């Protein structure tokens, strides 16, 4: 169904996508070292800034089941589970998914006017 909707997989675009996920300009931390809540928020802010995404509120939240999620309402929020126990590499993976998939799709939907991307 994905091929019918979006076409064949483009190997050069896949390579760009993989490179974006694997490249990290974050300071290195020892593998397996858990980040503090403050470090998580700082990395999230830096990740958004590097992508030119501004005006997103970063919130520690204990009401969502997910470790991280994007919520869109009167304001756009990046919800982070309170007490999240995560390493830098795990955080980068979560951010790549939540920001690059959900948030960027929504923002592109706003620019394009295509309602399918706004949800």
């Amino acid at each position: 169904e994905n091929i019918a909707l979006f076409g064949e997989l483009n190997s050069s675009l896949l390579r760009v996508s993989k490179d974006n996920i694997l490249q990290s300009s974050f300071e290195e931390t020892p593998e397996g070292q858990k980040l503090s809540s403050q470090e998580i928020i700082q990395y999230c802010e830096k990740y958004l800034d590097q992508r030119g995404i501004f005006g997103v509120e970063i919130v520690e939240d204990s009401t969502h089941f997910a470790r991280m999620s994007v919520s869109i309402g009167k304001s756009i929020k990046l919800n982070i589970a309170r007490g999240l126990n995560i390493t830098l590499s795990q955080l980068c993976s979560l951010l790549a998914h939540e920001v690059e998939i959900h948030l960027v799709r929504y923002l592109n939907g706003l620019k394009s006017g295509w309602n399918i991307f706004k949800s």
Side-chain angles (χ1 to χ4, degrees):
E1 295 297 319
N2 283 334
I3 292 171
L5 287 171
F6 304 110
E8 291 293 329
L9 190 62
N10 181 315
S11 60
S12 63
L13 290 178
L14 181 60
R15 185 179 321 278
V16 169
S17 178
K18 285 181 180 179
D19 288 345
N20 284 339
I21 290 171
L22 296 175
Q23 288 177 353
S24 175
S25 59
F26 295 121
E27 299 82 23
E28 292 298 320
T29 58
E31 185 60 35
Q33 180 177 327
K34 303 299 181 181
L35 301 173
S36 69
S37 294
Q38 183 179 7
E39 289 173 319
I40 292 170
I41 291 170
Q42 288 172 345
Y43 283 124
C44 291
E45 289 170 346
K46 185 175 180 179
Y47 190 91
L48 293 170
D49 286 345
Q50 288 174 341
R51 282 145 185 82
I53 300 172
F54 305 102
V56 175
E57 185 179 357
I58 299 172
V59 179
E60 279 191 287
D61 189 351
S62 58
T63 61
H64 288 84
F65 294 113
R67 296 186 300 168
M68 183 180 289
S69 64
V70 173
S71 61
I72 298 164
K74 291 181 181 179
S75 64
I76 301 172
K77 295 179 184 175
L78 181 62
N79 303 300
I80 302 168
R82 189 175 308 282
L84 181 60
N85 191 8
I86 195 167
T87 65
L88 180 57
S89 62
Q90 292 168 333
L91 178 61
C92 289
S93 296
L94 273 177
L95 284 168
H97 175 81
E98 292 300 327
V99 172
E100 307 298 334
I101 301 296
H102 300 296
L103 182 55
V104 170
R105 180 184 65 190
Y106 172 77
L107 295 173
N108 285 338
L110 290 178
K111 288 179 190 176
S112 71
W114 289 30
N115 290 332
I116 191 170
F117 294 118
K118 294 181 190 177
S119 59

